[in-house]
Amino acid sequence: MGFTILGTGSALPKRSVSNDELSEFLDTSDEWIFTRTGIKSRHVCTTESLDDLAVAASERALQVSGIDASQLDLIVCSTTTGDHLVPAEACAVAERLGATCPAFDVSAACAGFVFALDVAEGYIARGRAKRVLIIAAEQMTRALDWTDRATCVLFGDGAGAAVIEAGGDSPLAVELSTASDVETLRVPGLVGTSPFKASVDSESVLSMNGRRVFKFGVNAICDTVHKLASDAGISVEDIDHFVFHQANERILSQAVKRLGVPGERVVRTLRETGNISSACIPFALDRLARTNALNAGDTIALVGFGAGLDIGGYLLRWK
């Protein structure tokens, strides 16, 4: 049994921080950042909590879908930067929406939304759920070293959501994998204060091997798109829209060049949002939907890649 996307939603913090603002306390410039990343600004939480963003994106997706929270059978949220380790971010959303269905989180870094979508599809396939709310919400700015110009300029905060319902053609193909590598991109966990264990980790801030991520990202996009098309029995040229993880414009440009697809078919939100981790894909999908760029029957390739190194690909049919 397949599913149909009924509606999407997204939310960003009100505060937008430009590259020029970052250059006031970092040894950098708008030109340096933009030419290397394609980012001009990013949204940063100030008065908002991540719960606020996740709820706002969810409410918009429900409104578009014409579904009340009481009709949901499941809520799955992708996050690695939740407001609380426990309970799950999904539980906080459920409480504020007034939903009583099962709610839990998944963690697959920047590929998380695609993994969450696959979890939801599994519930539908087993007859355990008919309507599912899938969320990706990230406050990456809380996990950054704001003295490191190589990493802190890349990320922002935001959330995206989608409501899916049993019945439909999606997915046409699915590709999930892990190129096991923990050190390339990581954020150490809680250090704690146990008197019985000496901590070996530093504070919980992100570290990244940029060159390794670039090579991995381009290969992940290209290999996954080819596998999705092959499994669906279509050519890459037959895919109408490409929604890739928004890590870096250089990664996107190189992948587009290798795939040989028209650049206008690839959604780009990076310029105004930066990398919002697993929220990139649902945010970009919502951007497509809100700009009326999607037509019934269109095929959409979603490809997420991130720490782990996790890769998630979904080929959808828009209805």
Side-chain angles (χ1 to χ4, degrees):
M1 179 184 293
F3 65 81
T4 300
I5 296 178
L6 297 181
T8 60
S10 60
L12 294 172
K14 292 180 181 179
R15 179 79 158 91
S16 177
V17 177
S18 69
N19 292 340
D20 287 332
E21 288 183 78
L22 295 183
S23 68
E24 294 176 5
F25 62 89
L26 290 170
D27 181 17
T28 190
S29 67
D30 174 64
E31 181 183 13
W32 191 93
I33 297 170
F34 183 66
T35 57
R36 288 164 177 78
T37 69
I39 300 169
K40 276 286 187 180
S41 60
R42 70 286 298 146
H43 288 256
V44 176
C45 286
T46 53
T47 59
E48 309 93 344
S49 67
L50 191 61
D51 290 351
D52 293 335
L53 297 181
V55 170
S58 298
E59 288 176 337
R60 290 167 188 167
L62 288 167
Q63 182 181 24
V64 173
S65 303
I67 297 296
D68 187 80
S70 63
Q71 297 175 285
L72 293 171
D73 303 306
L74 179 68
I75 300 175
V76 184
C77 180
S78 164
T79 189
T80 55
T81 53
D83 281 340
H84 21 77
L85 290 177
V86 289
E89 191 72 36
C91 293
V93 173
E95 180 180 47
R96 287 176 54 176
L97 292 179
T100 58
C101 60
F104 59 88
D105 291 351
V106 298
S107 175
C110 299
F113 180 78
V114 180
F115 277 71
L117 188 62
D118 193 58
V119 170
E121 194 270 329
Y123 271 78
I124 288 175
R126 291 185 291 126
R128 296 288 299 276
K130 183 178 180 181
R131 298 186 182 95
V132 183
L133 171 64
I134 305 157
I135 314 158
E138 303 284 5
Q139 190 178 337
M140 290 301 298
T141 57
R142 68 176 13 135
L144 302 176
D145 177 356
W146 284 94
T147 66
D148 179 12
R149 71 170 187 171
T151 57
C152 74
V153 302
L154 299 174
F155 296 91
D157 304 329
V163 176
I164 67 173
E165 183 177 55
D169 298 331
S170 296
L172 302 176
V174 180
E175 292 290 339
L176 304 176
S177 63
T178 301
S180 301
D181 181 344
V182 172
E183 295 302 318
T184 289
L185 181 58
R186 69 188 300 263
V187 178
L190 291 176
V191 174
T193 59
S194 170
F196 306 104
K197 185 177 187 299
S199 173
V200 295
D201 273 326
S202 58
E203 59 183 336
S204 293
V205 295
L206 180 143
S207 63
M208 179 179 68
N209 181 326
R211 291 184 179 181
R212 168 70 174 133
V213 170
F214 177 87
K215 182 178 179 181
F216 162 69
V218 174
N219 289 336
I221 289 174
C222 295
D223 292 348
T224 303
V225 167
H226 281 294
K227 289 177 181 177
L228 290 172
S230 176
D231 289 351
I234 63 175
S235 68
V236 171
E237 292 74 19
D238 292 328
I239 300 174
D240 298 299
H241 307 278
F242 298 89
V243 181
F244 301 142
H245 172 51
Q246 307 285 299
N248 185 300
E249 175 56 38
R250 288 183 173 179
I251 292 177
L252 295 178
S253 296
Q254 185 64 24
V256 169
K257 181 179 179 180
R258 279 178 49 178
L259 288 170
V261 299
E264 58 269 22
R265 294 191 190 179
V266 180
V267 187
R268 285 173 163 86
T269 60
L270 187 68
R271 184 185 177 101
E272 295 84 21
T273 67
N275 180 346
I276 47 177
S277 190
S278 68
C280 283
I281 287 178
F283 183 88
L285 185 62
D286 184 49
R287 173 74 61 85
L288 267 181
R290 285 187 291 111
T291 55
N292 297 317
L294 296 173
N295 299 306
D298 280 0
T299 50
I300 311 168
L302 313 181
V303 181
F305 56 90
L309 297 165
D310 281 335
I311 306 168
Y314 246 67
L315 186 61
L316 307 175
R317 175 96 60 198
W318 189 258
K319 187 175 181 180

